[in-house]
C-alpha cells in the first residue's frame, strides 16, 4: 500500500459517512477519492447542475444557498468538516437543488458516481427505494424553505397550487384540474399565512383568471399561474 493510499485512508477515517465501510470497501474508496481545495467564494456545487460527485468537507466551511430567478437567495445550511454534499443528485440523478459555496479556503474529498454507487444498496432493493423517497422529500423541503423565504404570499400560494396541479394530468391547453375542494385552512398552514389572507389571494387569483373553481369544488389551474412564482 502506497504512502498516498495510507494518507487517503487516514482522511476517510475522519469522515463519519465512511465509518461503517469494511476494510476492503475503505481501500476501494480511498483509491478512488480525489482531494480538492476550494478558494473562498468558489462554488463547490451549482444549483441546477449535476456534477455526479460526492464531496466531503475535510477542512474549512461552506454554505448551502438557494437562489430564485431574480437572484435573491436564502441560506439553507452551513457545512463543516465531515459534512458532505451532492448525494441527492447521485441517488436520483436530478440537478442540484441548491448551490454550495466555500466561505473560507476549504479542502474536500471528491468521490465519483461509480465508486459512490458501490457503497449503495442494490438499485432494486427496498433500501434503495427508501433512499430515493427520502431524497424526494428533502427536495420538497428545500423548495418549501425557498418559497417561504423568498416569495410573497401570492407566490407561495401559486407555488402550492402548481405543486398540487403537477400531480394531475394536464389538458390540451396545459391547464390541470385539482380534484376535491382545496381547504383554505390547510393552504394557510402550508404557506405560512393566515386563512383570511389565503382566501383573499385565492379570490383575487380567480378574478384574474389564474384559477377557476368548478361546481364540484375542484380547482382548474391555468398554466400562466407560474408567472407569479
Amino acid at each position: 500500500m502506497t504512502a498516498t493510499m495510507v494518507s487517503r485512508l487516514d482522511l476517510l477515517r475522519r469522515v463519519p459517512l465512511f465509518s461503517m465501510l469494511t476494510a476492503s470497501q475503505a481501500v476501494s474508496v480511498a483509491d478512488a477519492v480525489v482531494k480538492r481545495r476550494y478558494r473562498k467564494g468558489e462554488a463547490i456545487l451549482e444549483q441546477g447542475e449535476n456534477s455526479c460527485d460526492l464531496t466531503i468537507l475535510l477542512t474549512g466551511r461552506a454554505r448551502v444557498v438557494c437562489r430564485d430567478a431574480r437572484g435573491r437567495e436564502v441560506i439553507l445550511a452551513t457545512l463543516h468538516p465531515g459534512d458532505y454534499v451532492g448525494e441527492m443528485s447521485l441517488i436520483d440523478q436530478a440537478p442540484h437543488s441548491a448551490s454550495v459555496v466555500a466561505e473560507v479556503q476549504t479542502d474536500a474529498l471528491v468521490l465519483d458516481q461509480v465508486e459512490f454507487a458501490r457503497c449503495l444498496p442494490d438499485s432494486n432493493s427496498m433500501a434503495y427505494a427508501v433512499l430515493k423517497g427520502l431524497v424526494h422529500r428533502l427536495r420538497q423541503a428545500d423548495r418549501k424553505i425557498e418559497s417561504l423565504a423568498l416569495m410573497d404570499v401570492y407566490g407561495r400560494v401559486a407555488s402550492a397550487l402548481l405543486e398540487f396541479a403537477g400531480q394531475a394530468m394536464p389538458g390540451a391547453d396545459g391547464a390541470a384540474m385539482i380534484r376535491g375542494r382545496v381547504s383554505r385552512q390547510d393552504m394557510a398552514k402550508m404557506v405560512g399565512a393566515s386563512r383570511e389572507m389565503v382566501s383573499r389571494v385565492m379570490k383575487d387569483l380567480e378574478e384574474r383568471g389564474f384559477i377557476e373553481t368548478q361546481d364540484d369544488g375542484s380547482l382548474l389551474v391555468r398554466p400562466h399561474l407560474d408567472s407569479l412564482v
Side-chain angles (χ1 to χ4, degrees):
M1 190 178 293
T2 66
T4 300
M5 175 70 77
V6 172
S7 175
R8 288 175 180 169
L9 278 171
D10 289 340
L11 291 174
L12 285 176
R13 290 190 181 104
R14 300 186 204 170
V15 182
L17 175 64
F18 296 123
S19 62
M20 300 302 292
L21 293 180
T22 65
S24 61
Q25 285 176 323
V27 170
S28 176
V29 171
D31 189 45
V33 294
V34 176
K35 188 176 179 182
R36 281 204 57 184
R37 172 163 290 175
Y38 297 90
R39 301 183 305 276
K40 178 181 178 181
E42 185 177 359
I44 298 173
L45 297 180
E46 289 281 6
Q47 183 175 341
E49 295 183 0
N50 192 335
S51 60
C52 296
D53 292 321
L54 179 73
T55 303
I56 309 104
L57 272 61
L58 291 175
T59 65
R61 187 175 68 251
R63 62 174 56 179
V64 183
V65 180
C66 268
R67 298 185 181 91
D68 67 6
R70 303 178 190 175
R72 297 174 300 179
E73 65 179 39
V74 57
I75 299 174
L76 298 178
T78 299
L79 305 178
H80 300 92
D83 291 331
Y84 51 91
V85 293
E87 77 287 354
M88 292 199 301
S89 291
L90 285 174
I91 291 170
D92 68 1
Q93 285 77 57
H96 301 304
S97 59
S99 294
V100 179
V101 181
E103 290 190 337
V104 296
Q105 180 174 287
T106 298
D107 289 330
L109 294 176
V110 180
L111 182 66
D112 68 28
Q113 186 174 26
V114 173
E115 291 301 325
F116 178 77
R118 291 182 184 177
C119 302
L120 289 176
D122 184 88
S123 60
N124 295 320
S125 70
M126 180 179 291
Y128 191 79
V130 170
L131 281 175
K132 293 192 74 172
L134 289 172
V135 167
H136 177 69
R137 291 183 184 180
L138 284 171
R139 289 190 184 280
Q140 287 182 316
D142 284 349
R143 286 194 294 270
K144 184 158 290 188
I145 292 169
E146 181 183 355
S147 70
L148 287 172
L150 299 178
M151 295 181 187
D152 59 16
V153 178
Y154 273 84
R156 299 202 298 269
V157 170
S159 180
L161 290 173
L162 288 167
E163 184 176 340
F164 284 134
Q167 301 167 12
M169 184 69 69
D173 61 353
M177 188 73 71
I178 301 175
R179 300 292 177 186
R181 191 175 300 277
V182 177
S183 165
R184 304 308 193 253
Q185 185 64 47
D186 289 348
M187 181 71 71
K189 292 177 181 178
M190 288 177 64
V191 303
S194 68
R195 184 185 184 282
E196 293 72 22
M197 174 60 77
V198 168
S199 294
R200 288 199 295 271
V201 169
M202 294 280 283
K203 181 180 179 182
D204 187 54
L205 292 177
E206 185 144 20
E207 290 175 349
R208 293 163 64 187
F210 289 106
I211 59 178
E212 181 182 327
T213 302
Q214 308 299 296
D215 292 340
D216 64 355
S218 298
L219 200 64
L220 182 69
V221 177
R222 304 199 182 280
H224 58 291
L225 180 64
D226 61 8
S227 65
L228 299 180
V229 176

